[in-house]
Amino acid sequence: MGHRTVSFIESIAARYPGMPIIYIGILPTPLRWHVRDEAVDSNTIVSRFAEEQGTVTYVDLSEWVLNNGSPDRSLFRSDLQHLNAAGYEAITPPLKSFILNIF
């Protein structure tokens, strides 16, 4: 999964040279908690790739959707995969702060 993401990012970078790219890592969700190790591996691949590039920035917002080490179900829609309004409210301040710090 991570290598496909890197290929996708590379294709965007080739099409728009010099454009800053911000990639938000895969968030842990209740629905996909059983495959969290695969998501962590993918995020690691993308994060390492981003470190090597000058125009790609990796952002990890996982800690803002976790509660005692597991996804906080109250932050997700009934499908347990997509953030609800409260979930977006939880990740917006750290994301906004991060973006303001790099631009």
Side-chain angles (χ1 to χ4, degrees):
M1 186 168 26
H3 296 290
R4 288 186 307 212
T5 302
V6 166
S7 294
F8 176 68
I9 294 170
E10 287 175 326
S11 69
I12 293 171
R15 185 167 181 165
Y16 303 100
M19 179 182 76
I21 297 172
I22 299 172
Y23 178 82
I24 298 172
I26 300 168
L27 293 175
T29 70
L31 181 68
R32 294 191 176 172
W33 191 239
H34 67 284
V35 293
R36 66 186 171 275
D37 291 340
E38 293 171 35
V40 169
D41 290 345
S42 179
N43 284 342
T44 299
I45 290 167
V46 176
S47 175
R48 288 182 182 156
F49 170 76
E51 288 176 13
E52 297 169 0
Q53 304 301 310
T55 60
V56 179
T57 304
Y58 173 83
V59 180
D60 183 3
L61 298 174
S62 296
E63 70 180 272
W64 285 274
V65 298
L66 296 175
N67 183 11
N68 294 320
S70 296
D72 184 344
R73 295 171 80 89
S74 72
L75 301 178
F76 294 87
R77 294 181 179 198
S78 61
D79 67 4
L80 299 178
Q81 180 174 337
H82 298 96
L83 293 173
N84 60 23
Y88 281 107
E89 286 177 21
I91 68 166
T92 295
L95 181 58
K96 182 177 180 181
S97 174
F98 181 83
I99 290 171
L100 291 174
N101 284 327
I102 58 173
F103 290 109

